């Protein structure tokens, strides 16, 4: 049905909209040797992704629009299945959930999954790559895991936030692999396709326009979205709360909306962003168990918090970015179902219900003003807090996790 939403308008209607025509254009630019970005980094960019993403799109785009759209839809189908399987298998309790419980995360996240198909965004595919990378890391295959982290970063930059985590956890091989393969994907592989000098020039233009530019107007070539209600990142929320920016700036026909509690300048707000991010990072470090105390259960909770933080740390965190809550949600569902403490099970279900209520505030009946205050961000905070509590207060009976060595997939290794 979700694939039909993509193909139906293209085959029987006036053509699929959203980002799909842009992906076809980018693939055709590679095939025809055209430029992906304007020569002036200050000009508007149609394609916001690094050059390797366009090269990957060029392969199915060679055969036409419909083959490209079919390929992207099948990638989302495969990614959905991989994410669901790995999320349940990596929950760290060694339990094989019933079919309904195993399907519950997919049911709860269906609106985000719909966005992946409808918009043509790759975030679900990126989540599959990242989860598979962590699964390989648990199996001791550090270089393979790093290659997947690098591939996700080469497609859409924000997964690079995994690199500081790998360094902190002294996963030196995985960190080195991520850095080396990132260079391979950004420089080596595109060279014979685009030409070495052409690729370097485009990479430089993309970096200057997307990463190296930031001002009061915005960043990343999406000035109309950066401070708007659409963006629920730490950066955007902090600026909306600390200086008078119009969160309805994406729609000039709507009256300006302001939610600032303070009236600070741009530079001071940026310092607050740094301070808040530092506090969150130190808090994450504080709840991490020592290497000797790590178990598959604690790893699942730790990874879940990491996925929460990577989501909101992205400069632009629109609605569909929160598909990355799939894994944290699954871990919490496992804790709500299988924790030996009845009161903890009840408390976890309550936390999940609160998160679900907050996420539902993004549905069309509710005003955009509520999203401006960060309903998805707050849902992420509730999930991360729940996972942190489970990290700090594991059950005394660790039979479900202690039977497997730290870093292994699960006690049983079974996948539902």
């Amino acid at each position: 049905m979700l694939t039909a939403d993509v193909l139906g308008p293209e085959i029987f209607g006036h053509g699929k909209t959203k980002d799909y025509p842009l992906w076809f254009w980018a693939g055709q630019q590679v095939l025809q040797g055209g430029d992906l970005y304007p020569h002036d980094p200050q000009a508007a960019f149609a394609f916001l992704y690094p050059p390797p993403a366009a090269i990957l799109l060029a392969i199915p785009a060679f055969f036409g629009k419909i083959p490209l759209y079919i390929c992207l839809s099948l990638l989302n189908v495969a990614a959905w299945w991989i994410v669901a399987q790995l999320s349940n298998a990596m929950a760290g309790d060694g339990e094989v959930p019933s079919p309904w419980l195993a399907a519950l995360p997919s049911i709860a996240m269906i609106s985000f999954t719909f966005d992946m198909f409808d918009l043509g965004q790759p975030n679900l595919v990126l989540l599959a790559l990242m989860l598979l990378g962590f699964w390989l890391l648990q199996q001791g295959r550090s270089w393979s895991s790093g290659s997947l982290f690098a591939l996700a970063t080469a497609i859409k930059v924000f997964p690079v936030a995994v690199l500081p985590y790998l360094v902190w956890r002294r996963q030196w091989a995985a960190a080195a692999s991520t850095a080396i393969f990132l260079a391979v994907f950004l420089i080596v592989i595109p060279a014979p396709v685009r030409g070495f000098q052409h690729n370097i020039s485009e990479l430089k233009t993309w970096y200057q326009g997307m990463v190296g530019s930031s001002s009061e107007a915005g960043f990343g070539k999406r000035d109309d979205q950066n401070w708007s209600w659409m963006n629920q990142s730490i950066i955007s929320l902090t600026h909306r709360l600390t200086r008078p920016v119009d969160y309805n700036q994406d729609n000039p026909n709507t009256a300006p909306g302001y939610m600032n509690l303070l009236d600070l300048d741009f530079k001071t707000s940026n310092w607050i962003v740094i301070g808040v991010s530092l506090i969150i990072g130190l808090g994450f470090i504080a709840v991490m168990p020592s290497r000797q105390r790590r178990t598959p259960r604690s790893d699942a909770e730790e990874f879940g918090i990491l996925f929460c933080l990577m989501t909101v740390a992205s400069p632009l965190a629109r609605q569909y970015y929160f598909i990355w809550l799939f894994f944290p949600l699954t871990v919490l569902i496992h804790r709500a179902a299988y924790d030996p403490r009845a009161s903890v099970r009840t408390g976890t279900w309550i936390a999940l219900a609160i998160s679900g209520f907050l996420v539902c505030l993004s549905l069309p009946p509710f005003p955009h003003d509520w999203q401006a205050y960060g309903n998805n961000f707050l849902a992420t905070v509730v999930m991360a807090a729940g996972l942190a509590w489970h990290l700090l207060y594991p059950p005394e009976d660790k039979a479900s996790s202690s039977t497997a060595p730290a870093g292994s997939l699960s006690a049983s290794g079974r996948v539902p």
Side-chain angles (χ1 to χ4, degrees), residues 230-246:
M230 297 179 181
N231 189 0
Q232 297 197 28
S233 68
I234 293 174
I235 295 174
S236 185
L237 272 170
T238 302
H239 276 267
R240 290 203 297 268
L241 287 169
T242 58
R243 64 188 187 94
V245 291
D246 176 17

Side-chain angles (χ1 to χ4, degrees), residues 385-403:
L387 291 167
W389 190 94
H390 279 282
L391 258 180
L392 293 172
Y393 303 101
E396 293 183 6
D397 180 12
K398 300 179 182 178
S400 63
S401 59
S402 62
T403 53

Side-chain angles (χ1 to χ4, degrees), residues 8-337:
E10 185 63 33
I11 298 174
F12 304 106
H14 298 290
K16 179 59 180 169
T17 57
K18 309 297 172 64
D19 287 328
Y20 285 93
L22 176 60
W23 304 153
F24 181 72
W25 173 86
Q28 289 296 315
Q29 289 297 103
V30 172
L31 293 171
Q32 297 169 14
D35 292 327
L36 292 169
Y37 318 102
H39 294 290
D40 180 8
Q42 305 304 317
F45 285 16
F47 186 72
L48 304 180
Y49 294 67
I55 293 174
L56 291 173
L57 289 167
I59 300 172
F62 174 81
F63 300 97
K65 278 189 174 182
I66 292 178
L68 171 64
Y69 297 176
I70 291 174
C71 179
L72 294 177
S73 297
L74 292 179
L75 276 175
N76 272 323
V77 170
W80 193 5
W81 183 84
I82 291 170
V83 166
Q85 292 293 304
L86 286 179
S87 294
N88 278 297
M90 294 173 64
D93 50 19
E95 299 286 349
V96 178
S98 67
W100 280 110
L101 193 68
L104 183 57
S106 289
I107 296 171
M109 301 294 286
I110 188 63
S111 65
F112 297 102
T113 307
F114 169 77
D115 283 344
M116 295 301 102
F117 284 83
D118 186 50
L119 300 174
Q121 281 291 322
N123 291 53
L124 184 57
V125 175
L126 302 181
L127 176 58
L129 291 173
M130 297 299 289
L131 277 176
L132 188 56
F134 277 108
W135 183 80
L136 290 171
L137 188 63
Q138 289 182 319
Q139 310 310 306
R141 298 169 64 180
S142 300
W143 283 90
S144 297
S145 69
S147 68
L148 292 178
F149 297 151
L151 178 58
T153 302
I155 294 173
K156 199 169 185 176
V157 179
F158 77 96
V160 76
V162 73
L163 196 54
Y165 171 80
L166 296 176
V167 172
W168 180 262
R169 273 303 189 188
R170 299 182 182 179
Q171 296 285 353
W172 307 120
S177 174
T178 302
I180 292 171
F181 275 100
L182 187 57
V184 170
F185 289 131
L186 290 176
I187 299 174
V188 178
I189 291 179
V193 179
R194 304 288 284 161
F196 181 79
Q197 290 297 335
H198 190 187
N199 177 65
I200 292 296
S201 176
E202 286 198 324
L203 197 59
K204 181 180 179 181
T205 301
W206 171 84
Y207 180 85
Q208 291 175 340
M210 293 299 300
V211 182
S213 62
S214 177
S215 68
E216 291 190 48
F219 49 86
K221 300 302 179 183
R222 284 295 182 264
D223 293 354
D224 60 331
Q225 299 178 12
N226 291 156
W227 313 126
S228 80
W229 60 271
M230 297 179 181
N231 189 0
Q232 297 197 28
S233 68
I234 293 174
I235 295 174
S236 185
L237 272 170
T238 302
H239 276 267
R240 290 203 297 268
L241 287 169
T242 58
R243 64 188 187 94
V245 291
D246 176 17
Y247 61 73
N248 286 326
Q249 60 184 215
D250 62 295
N251 188 351
N253 297 321
T254 303
Y258 301 95
M259 53 179 276
N260 57 301
L261 304 177
L262 302 173
D263 190 1
L264 305 177
D265 57 60
F266 177 69
K267 183 177 180 179
T268 305
S269 293
N270 280 337
W271 279 111
I272 294 178
V273 171
I274 294 173
V276 169
S277 301
L278 183 61
I279 292 171
I280 293 173
L282 292 175
F284 183 33
I285 291 172
V287 301
M288 286 183 186
S290 63
R291 185 179 182 87
Q292 294 75 19
R293 292 175 48 240
R294 290 179 67 181
T295 66
R297 181 188 180 97
S298 71
D299 275 357
E301 293 151 0
E302 185 175 306
F303 295 160
I305 297 173
L306 178 64
F307 278 96
C308 288
L309 297 185
M310 284 195 291
T311 301
V312 297
S314 171
L316 183 63
R318 295 187 60 180
Q319 170 80 4
Y320 56 84
Y321 274 67
F322 291 87
I323 187 69
W324 273 40
L325 298 184
F326 197 115
F327 178 67
L329 173 69
T330 305
V331 175
L332 285 173
I333 287 174
H334 273 250
R335 300 298 176 266

